[in-house]
Each structure stands twice: as C-alpha cells, then as structure tokens.
Amino acid sequence: MCSFGQIGKVIERFGWPRLIIAFFLVALFASAPLVNVRIDTSLSDVLVRVGMNGILVLAMVPMIQSGCGLNFGLPLGIIAGLVGAVTSMNFSLQGFVGFFAAILIAIPIAAILGYFYGWLLNLTKGDEMMIATYVGFSSVAFMCMMWLLLPYHNPLMLWGFGGSGLRTTISLQAFWLQILDKFLSFHIGNYFFFPTGSLVFFAVVCFVMWAFFRTTTGTAMMAAGSNPQFARANGVDVDRMRMLSVVMSTILGAIGMIVYEQSYGFIQLYMGPFYMAFPAVAAVLLGGASVNKATITNVVLGTLLFQGILTMTPSVINSLLKTDMSEVIRIVVSNGMILYALTRKEQVKKR
Amino acid sequence: MSDSNIVLQVCGLCKDFYGNTVLEDINFELKRGEIIGLVGENGAGKSTLMNILFGMPIIRNTGGYGGKIIIEGEEVHFFNPVDAINNGIGMVHQEFFLIPNFTATENILLNREITRYNPLVEVFGDRFQLLDRPAMRRRAEEAIRALGVDINPDTLVSEMPVSYKQFTEIAREIDRTQMKILILDEPTAVLTESEAETLLETLKRLSAKGIGIIFISHRLQEILDICNRIIVLRDGRLIKDIPTSEADVRSIASWMVGREVEESSKDVRKKPKLTEGEVILSVRNLQVDMPGEKVKNVSFDVFKGEIFGIGGLAGQGKLGIPNGIMGLFPSRGTVLLNDKQIKLNDPLSSLQSGLSFISEDRRGVGLLLDESIALNIVFTAMQVQKQFVKKFLGGFIKWRDEEEIYRYARDYIKRLDIRCIGPDQKVIELSGGNQQKVCVARVLTTSPNILFASEPTRGIDIGAKQLVLNVLKEFNENCGTTIIVTSSELLELRSICHRVAIVNEGEIADILPANAPLEDFGLLMLGNVGNRGGSN
C-alpha cells in the first residue's frame, strides 16, 4: 500500500501521458530487430531529428512563460529564418560563414516581426492563441507573394525558366549542408552517426534560455505569466515582458529554422512553413508543459519523445505491414499526437 | 451491533495533502436528532472533514483518506457527492451551489423534478417525461415554508439577495425525503441577525424530526444556542468533544487556538499619541476609480511612525485609497511622501519611493500561487530593489541568488511560523492564514517607508490574525515604519492604530483617535457627520 503510494507519486511527477509514450517508444525499439530495422540507425535518426527540431520547440517557452500561450505564430519566426537563409545564400556565402550570416541576418528581421506580433498580442489579451494561429497563417500567405517579388538574383535559387522569383525547394548542397550535424560528428560502426554540432548547439541555446529564466528579467517574465495582477502590483511592466517574450520566441523560431534547414538539406519556401508550428506545439505539450508553464526539461523530453515516435512508427510499422504506408502513418501519428496534446491542454486548463 | 440511535460514526479518520497531515485520527458519532457544533480555526481541517463526508472528488484525487465512515451501522465509501446524497447526507456549502438563471423552485427540485407521463416516454425512456410545474411549485413552497421564510418560488436565483440564496440552498437539502444527516458550512455568515435566528429555529425543528445536524460556524454564540454537543478541531486533531452545557465562549475560543486569547486584541490602543509628529505622507484631493470602492475626494496626513487606520463599511471606498496610492487603479490627486510628489498610476514608482502593499485580494493580487514560498517572499525586493541578486559580467547579467533566497525564506518561515513542508512548497498548497504570512513576509522584506496593509486579517483564523497584527505592531515599534491599515473590523483598527479615519461614500467622514468612544465611530460609518457635530 505504502510502496504503491510512493510509486504513484513518482508516476504523478513524471505524468501518465509521457510514461505511456515512453513505453510505446521502448516497445517500438524492442520490436525493431524483428522486422529488420536496425536499432543503431534508428537511434541515430532520432538524435539527428532532435538536433534539427529542438530549437523550434524551445521557441515555445518564452511565450508560454509570459502568459501569451502556445506560440502558434511560429511561422513568423520561421519566415525570418528563411529570409536570413536565402539572403545569405544570395551572396553565395558558404560553410560556417554562410550559416552564421544567415542567423545574423535573421535575428533583426525576427525582432522587428516579433515586435509587431507582440504588439498585436498585447491588444488581444485572452485570445492570444487564436490570434497567433492566424498571424502564422497569414504571414505565410503574404510571403508566398514576396518570394516571387523580392530581388534575389543567385541563379541557383531562381526558377529555371523565367529567371525571376525563388524556387519552392532550394538545395543547400552548395552552401552549408549539414554544417552543424557534421561538426565534430562521429560514427560508431557503419550505421550509427552522432550529430555532435547540432546537439551541442541545441544544448547551448537551452542553457542560454535556462540562464535567462534565472535572471531578474526572466523571473519577472515568469511572474507576468503566472499572475499578471501580482506582477503589475509589484512593479513589473507586464506588457513589456509579454512583448519581450514574443520577440524572443520569434528569434528562437528563426534560429531554429536555420538549424532545421542545414540538417534537412533543403530550404522549403512558399507553403513550407504553413504547418510547422503544430509539431513544435505538440512536442512541448507532450514534454509536460501546460499552457502557462514550460521548462527546458519539458522541451528536451518532449522533443525526444515526439521525434522518437515520429521516426520509429513509420519504419517499424511499415515493415510489419509490408506495404509502403510511411507517409500515411506519419500524418496520422503526428496529427494524432497534436490532437492528443491539445486535449491535454484543456485538462490542464480545467484543473 | 451498535446503538441504533447513532446515525453517523466516524472512526480514525485521517487525511493528508502532499504529505501535509490535515486530519489525524478523528473519532466522533452523531445521534439521531442531535446537533453537533463543529468549530476550529481556518486550516484546522473542518472543510476537509466535510469534503470527506460529502464524497467530494478532491479527496479521491489527492489520494483518498484513512479510517472509516459508518452510516447506520454500515461502512460507506463515497465516490462522489451523488453517493453521499443517496446515503442520506445533505450539505449546505459555504459558497452557493445554485444555478443563477433557474428559479427557486427549479433549484430546490433540481434532478428530483416531479414529472408526468407522455407517450414519448415509450420511445425515448424516462428522460422524456414532462415537468409537472404546479406540483413542483407546491413542493418548493412547502420546503420554503418549513424554513419559515417568505421567498417567491418563481424568483430567479440571480435576482435574490444573498440571504435568500442561502435559504434556497437549505430548502433544497431539506426537501430530500431520505435525508438523515445535514451538514451546514457557515450558513449564517451571510445572514443578518434576524435571518440567522430564523435559520437556527429551522434547524431545531429539523433536529426534532430526527435529522442529525453538523453545524459549522465562527459565531460561537450560535453554536452555544442550538447545539447539543461541541466538537473542537485544532491542527487536524479532535481536541474536545463535550456537551454544550459544559462549555462557554471563552473556553471554546481557547481550545480552538490552543492558548489563551490575548486580551490585548480586545483592548483599545493604550497610547493614541503622536499627533504632533512630522508629516510623512500627505494626500490631497485623491480620487480613485476602483470598481465597487470608488474614492471621490480624500485628503489626509499621516505622521511618521504612526499606525493609521482606515475604516468604514464595505463599498464606501476605503479599499480604493491604498489601491489608488499604489497605482493599481486609475487615480487623480496629489500624494506627497516626505514632501516629494509620488507619480500616480505607476505601481513601480510607488514601490520605488518606498511604499509597500499587502493587498486585500490575497489570491488574485497578493501571491504567485503556482510558485514557491521563497520566490513569493523575495519577489518585490528582488524586482524593485535588486536584492537577492548575483551579478555577472559587470552587472549585465543579474541572476537570482537562490542560496541567499532560500536561507532568507527559511528564516522568515520560522519567524512568522508559516506552516509548510519547506521554502520550495507552492503557495497554493498553504492555508489562508499561512498565505497571508507569506504576503506579510514579502512586504517586510522590502523594508518600506510606509506599509499599506489592506484587510490584513480577512479570511484567516484567530491565531494567524493575532500573529499578523502583532508582527505589524512590532515592525512599527522596532523599525519606526509608518503603517496604514485598512480594515472592516473596527475593533481590530482600534486595537492597533493610533488614529482611525472613517470613510463614507468615497470621502473621509472624520479622523478620530483610537480611544474615541465606539458609538462615535459607529455614527461616522453610517454617515451621520452632521449629527455628531451637533451633539458635541
């Protein structure tokens, strides 16, 4: 009885949903050899994807903490990242120079976009998440026009025929393909690849965020989200904190996108960023965050579990069913996960 | 088997929340037709005990309880309030559990409606029966009449005065025919004296019918008037279980707090002096737009080192004064601190000039409920005065100094006797009195020039009340801090303040020394400024 109570407490802390997903993930790994899916390849895939998506998930944290809810407007940050990336490529910058130039160009753009985004969210307190969703959607649509009109001229990125307007998919082959993934990376055996650079970069950004929330400003931001009235009565400028958090989230989205691209190998413009907020939202919720509280642990755990499932389900289940269902399964799994995560959000709200 | 006269038996009941024991080995029994008075400080475990008896889900969600509940010789386990109702337990809650847009009748007979047959029932089942409104109305009228009050059964609950809501709620419970046990959680708190009397009469009548009643109240006189037995809880333990004839108000009060109630709180402040001191705060023509507590035009001076009281009836604007000066509500006028003007409508500048505020809205404004005790205590000092900060890179990065914060918090937990597991416990898990101690600690940490305490003792138990008042008084005497206390309790103001201002209709009626006759204060509160002047 007593020991059961203690186990119960541990489960309570870790959370049933995470436990179930973790068990499911372990089960997938365990059954992988039975269907000739290599565990080491799979593990390696999971790690690459964590490095690829981690910062995008981290971009949820500042806005959640300041009480702006989940950052469904992540596409705005992603667009800043895309502009940074194509601009850097337009000048044919390669290697680390190109990569960091992309980030340096993206940050001010993200800051400006984030400022207006934050201003909008401060006008619509209480409906942030709905407004954010439409900010994301409409900014993607707006950029569909801009990608055609902006004066980029590097022929590697333009439409083959007319010679003007950017292509939908641009390869990074000639620029900074997997520049972080391959940095200090190593192989174990033929199949296991460890993307050191990406993971270290993710860890560094996580540390910066963790450190930020230990500062007085970070504490004030957290208070603004936890109880805005308390924050105001204690001299915190709640609107400013919310604004700052939105700018931070947007900048993180931009950096996250550039990291994502280098690993993915392609830049996808036009409708590419349209749905990119949803996996990140799902991951952070899966990691145990609620609508107004998120920690770095939630981010790391959530990304690991979410990407783990997303990697393993198609490969293992595909082999089990012996047909090519990978795309269908991928959609079902990732959207099912979002649905699950969003209903979980409702529960948190009710409590 | 057991005595057939016993309707409810509680054996060895235990309960803890998050490892914090709130009930420990509670044993008592309730006989048919008996009224038990249950008393105890806030946080003594009364509400938890009631929640267990009524099968509230919160108990199950936090790990259930230990011990046995036996109703008429049979052990029962309630999974939800419906189980409890089916076993004959009725409960009148402290907060109203009524549907505002339903009439009294509909509320009283909710889910027990009298229905009529119609053919659709054959197809869709009993849920499709029609309501027999005239019969329902008759039954509701009967229940209301049994209470001895005059409520129109067709009135919407949302349009009723509070006392009628209370009666409607009681009517709903007594309408249940199978009810054997009725639990009332502070039913008289919102009633006027005559209404309370009616209610007490009703309870006596119900008990004569054989219903066992558990009656919770902070008004000890009522308990003495109607109860057969009194049970005193303190810190989750059953301290006394005695017949009423062997108790009186004084002895109950001392059992509740576990110490003799300090007489000083009843006394008037001994030295209402300091009138010729130096003026530290000067308020001129202050107007504050605080909903429900509007301040129209207020001017007063506060002397250095005094405790200044602001009293008056609710809704007259006394709460608007501190909230306005602290910049929390739109305000206009002049506020001078040591002859320097304070920028209004800007909480940060008020805080920076050394004003500090204990809010009357503890859970809404006063605390970060989801955060630790430690963070709550140091938050203001950290944000406004940059205390508890570790600097890196020449002050560019300012980190919270966790070690220092925790050491400081532990110290205050000991000094103010905050009952908790440790400094990192979340504030939401504390009882009201302990939460208020956290608020006091937070304000003291900023070592303010002027401390505003707005309803500092609202909703906390006698022990915590005394402690909070003592801390304020001590702080005033030892550090010379000027304190402005706003309170609805005149006796409390008179016990700790040097001077008391009475606010009426958004203006200060007059400022009197604390030892002025009580009836003068009373007259001012009722707005009889002219009359008092005339009688002098």
Side-chain angles (χ1 to χ4, degrees), chain A:
Chain A
M1 184 68 202
C2 180
S3 70
F4 178 76
Q6 271 170 356
I7 295 169
K9 247 176 229 164
V10 172
I11 293 174
E12 186 81 20
R13 247 207 353 244
F14 195 67
W16 273 110
R18 269 168 296 302
L19 216 60
I20 293 167
I21 298 284
F23 277 132
F24 184 52
L25 192 57
V26 169
L28 282 175
F29 268 107
S31 53
L34 302 177
V35 291
N36 294 324
V37 174
R38 291 195 62 96
I39 290 188
D40 44 9
T41 320
S42 309
L43 263 179
S44 175
D45 280 353
V46 174
L47 290 178
V48 169
R49 281 168 153 276
V50 166
M52 196 163 148
N53 288 283
I55 298 174
L56 288 174
V57 180
L58 193 65
M60 296 290 142
V61 175
M63 274 177 65
I64 293 177
Q65 287 286 64
S66 76
C68 291
L70 300 163
N71 183 10
F72 282 102
L74 188 64
L76 203 65
I78 289 176
I79 282 167
L82 289 174
V83 172
V86 288
T87 310
S88 140
M89 287 156 72
N90 195 41
F91 299 119
S92 301
L93 299 174
Q94 286 166 337
F96 271 110
V97 178
F99 177 75
F100 284 110
I103 289 182
L104 285 181
I105 296 165
I107 287 177
I109 297 171
I112 293 166
L113 290 177
Y115 180 83
F116 285 106
Y117 180 26
W119 173 76
L120 196 63
L121 290 188
N122 274 343
L123 288 181
T124 54
K125 275 183 202 154
D127 295 317
E128 288 94 347
M129 286 194 265
M130 197 174 66
I131 301 294
T133 310
Y134 287 99
V135 166
F137 284 168
S138 54
S139 61
V140 170
F142 176 73
M143 286 311 285
C144 281
M145 294 187 280
M146 296 315 285
W147 298 130
L148 284 172
L149 298 176
L150 288 172
Y152 288 109
H153 52 72
N154 190 332
L156 281 174
M157 313 193 296
L158 300 184
W159 285 112
F161 40 94
S164 71
L166 295 166
R167 282 187 230 164
T168 46
T169 306
I170 304 167
S171 169
L172 280 172
Q173 192 78 55
F175 302 95
W176 25 275
L177 176 68
Q178 297 187 332
I179 185 91
L180 275 184
D181 276 11
K182 294 221 171 108
F183 181 69
L184 291 181
S185 67
F186 54 86
H187 283 83
I188 298 176
N190 282 335
Y191 298 98
F192 186 83
F193 166 74
F194 191 85
T196 318
S198 290
L199 292 180
V200 167
F201 193 76
F202 178 42
V204 167
V205 180
C206 279
F207 173 79
V208 170
M209 285 309 295
W210 175 82
F212 172 76
F213 280 103
R214 278 195 63 139
T215 63
T216 49
T217 315
T219 313
M221 184 180 284
M222 182 274 295
S226 188
N227 181 352
Q229 299 215 55
F230 173 91
R232 200 170 88 84
N234 286 288
V236 174
D237 186 340
V238 175
D239 281 2
R240 224 189 100 230
M241 283 303 139
R242 286 164 58 100
M243 177 74 86
L244 181 62
S245 78
V246 175
V247 170
M248 282 173 66
S249 274
T250 311
I251 291 178
L252 281 175
I255 298 175
M257 189 58 197
I258 294 170
V259 173
Y260 180 92
E261 284 160 348
Q262 61 82 25
S263 179
Y264 187 58
F266 297 96
I267 287 179
Q268 290 186 301
L269 301 175
Y270 301 94
M271 296 304 276
F274 205 69
Y275 290 115
M276 285 194 73
F278 295 91
V281 169
V284 77
L285 290 173
L286 193 62
S290 71
V291 183
N292 47 25
K293 208 137 217 89
T295 62
I296 306 300
T297 322
N298 295 148
V299 170
V300 176
L301 201 62
T303 315
L304 210 63
L305 290 177
F306 187 76
Q307 295 302 335
I309 295 286
L310 225 55
T311 321
M312 292 306 288
T313 334
S315 59
V316 172
I317 293 184
N318 243 351
S319 313
L320 278 173
L321 296 178
K322 303 240 188 296
T323 44
D324 187 20
M325 299 238 325
S326 79
E327 200 48 39
V328 176
I329 290 172
R330 196 183 291 262
I331 290 168
V332 169
V333 167
S334 71
N335 285 302
M337 199 90 77
I338 293 164
L339 194 59
Y340 156 78
L342 286 178
T343 50
R344 201 188 102 73
K345 178 206 87 182
E346 286 306 314
Q347 265 180 353
V348 170
K349 228 197 234 168
K350 262 183 239 158
R351 195 173 57 184

Side-chain angles (χ1 to χ4, degrees), chain B residues 119-190:
Chain B
L120 282 177
V121 173
E122 299 298 334
V123 186
F124 296 106
D126 285 344
R127 304 290 302 173
F128 262 72
Q129 290 194 337
L130 291 175
L131 298 184
D132 185 353
R133 289 198 178 264
M136 282 170 65
R137 192 169 190 278
R138 273 196 301 282
R139 228 173 87 195
E141 258 175 348
E142 218 171 279
I144 294 170
R145 209 167 329 114
L147 290 177
V149 286
D150 183 26
I151 302 174
N152 181 349
D154 298 328
T155 324
L156 290 182
V157 165
S158 58
E159 290 165 4
M160 289 181 186
V162 268
S163 59
Y164 278 27
K165 288 185 189 167
Q166 185 77 72
F167 278 113
T168 309
E169 182 143 324
I170 297 167
R172 184 187 65 208
E173 297 308 318
I174 64 170
D175 178 69
R176 295 198 175 108
T177 41
Q178 85 276 32
M179 189 178 66
K180 292 171 240 165
I181 302 162
L182 179 62
I183 303 170
L184 299 108
D185 194 355
E186 295 202 38
T188 54
V190 295

